[in-house]
Every structure is written in structure tokens, then in C-alpha cells.
Amino acid sequence: MIDPVNYEVELKVKGDTPSEDKLLSLLLIEDKYYPPTERCQGVHCHTYSSKLSTVEVTVGHLSRTVEATIVFQVVEGSWPIQYHGRFVAHMASLDDLEMELVDSRGGTVTTSSDGAIELSRCVVPVEVDGELKLWVDAWHDDDRGIVVGKDQVTFAPGRAGRSVDTCDVGFCKMRVTVAWSLLVNW
């Protein structure tokens, strides 16, 4: 925690195949550790610009954390192909920082044959004495103007095991499963 941490950020425009991807920005960032203080709870935003892009990197300090592995699975109804969606994890201890699990933007929400939503990110850290909130927003058109459903579920972290709840966005219900595991012994 004393030495600087290096982050490598690669920003691409995805093509139809990996060989068609276009690299917009490649950054190597060295960031020093800043312990939380009363004035700043350990969240620092850095903006880096190049000729083609601007990348914002947010770094936050978490103490005594567990790892949350998240699965959304449609168990009633279905996710219509014309509906877009955004799935977000939120921890109040990080100054209301959101971690995007998936945002279909102009595309569709992808589900597997068993109804599991394919997330871009499915693992997030959570402070032991905090809470994990998971939000789902669904809309009908590309500009998010017509909201068709939304819901949120909240979990108290565990040191191990699983927590399960249901998220109801109106047109479908999803079982939300969070598997907890320790990052380090404390």
C-alpha cells in the first residue's frame, strides 16, 4: 500500500470480430496510494486525454472487503429483444460510486439458454460493514426515453456462502445470486 500501483487502460471500439477492433487509447498510469481522510473517503478521479479519446479512471480505497460474484437469471417471463438494459452495482462507502456490470446501450441484453444475463463484469469488492445495492434499468428506445422497468435489491455482505433475492422489472423476474468470498483473512 506504500508503493505506487500501475494501471493499464486499453480503450477499443469493438468490431464484429476481435481482429476488427480499433484501438483508441492505451494508457499506463502510475497512481500512489492515498489513505482515506475525513475530507476524502478514498475516491480519486483522474482524467487522461489523447488525440482520440478521454478516459476517466476512478480509484477507491476499501478496507476489510469480501468479493461478491453476481448472477442475474431470468426465472419468470423473458427479456424481450427490443428492450435495452443497464445493470449496476453500488456501494455507498465509496461516495456513491457505481460499477457498471453491463449496459446494452443500443444493443440487446444477452441471456444464455438457462436465462442467465451475460454481464461484462460479474465480480465486485464490497466492504464487510457496508452493503451491496444492485440496480436494473430497462428501456425501449436507444435514448433511454421510455423506461419499461426498473428495480433494485440490497445485500448485506457475508464472509462466505450465497445470498439470493428477486428483482422484478415488470416484464420479467430475475433471481439475483451473490456468492461471497474473502479476499484476505482478517
Side-chain angles (χ1 to χ4, degrees), residues 88-130:
V88 175
H90 169 80
M91 288 161 296
S93 63
L94 285 181
D95 295 338
D96 298 323
L97 178 70
E98 292 182 356
M99 287 182 279
E100 196 168 84
L101 305 175
V102 71
D103 186 343
S104 69
R105 301 192 193 274
T108 60
V109 171
T110 307
T111 58
S112 64
S113 59
D114 67 350
I117 303 291
E118 292 184 19
L119 302 174
S120 301
R121 166 192 288 207
C122 62
V123 179
V124 297
V126 181
E127 286 185 308
V128 172
D129 55 355

Side-chain angles (χ1 to χ4, degrees), residues 5 10 14 22 32 40 42-43 70 92 105 112 124 151 153 159 169 176:
V5 176
E10 190 175 86
K14 298 290 275 180
K22 303 283 186 216
K32 295 190 176 174
C40 176
V43 176
I70 303 160
R105 301 192 193 274
S112 64
V124 297
D151 199 7
V153 291
R159 292 177 69 141
V169 291
V176 183

Side-chain angles (χ1 to χ4, degrees), residues 32-84:
K32 295 190 176 174
Y33 171 73
Y34 300 97
T37 64
E38 244 180 75
R39 191 174 59 82
C40 176
Q41 291 303 308
V43 176
H44 300 277
C45 291
H46 308 280
T47 303
Y48 302 93
S49 295
S50 69
K51 289 181 183 178
L52 298 175
S53 65
T54 299
V55 176
E56 182 179 279
V57 178
T58 304
V59 180
H61 172 79
L62 294 171
S63 61
R64 294 186 44 194
T65 59
V66 291
E67 185 176 80
T69 303
I70 303 160
V71 176
F72 285 86
Q73 184 176 21
V74 176
V75 293
E76 189 178 304
S78 63
W79 193 287
I81 196 163
Q82 70 271 21
Y83 289 176
H84 312 290

Side-chain angles (χ1 to χ4, degrees), residues 6-14 18-19 21-29 48 50 52-57:
N6 293 320
Y7 301 95
E8 186 175 310
V9 180
E10 190 175 86
L11 182 61
K12 292 182 179 181
V13 174
K14 298 290 275 180
S19 64
D21 291 354
K22 303 283 186 216
L23 185 64
L24 285 182
S25 191
L26 179 60
L27 300 169
L28 181 60
I29 303 163
Y48 302 93
S50 69
L52 298 175
S53 65
T54 299
V55 176
E56 182 179 279
V57 178

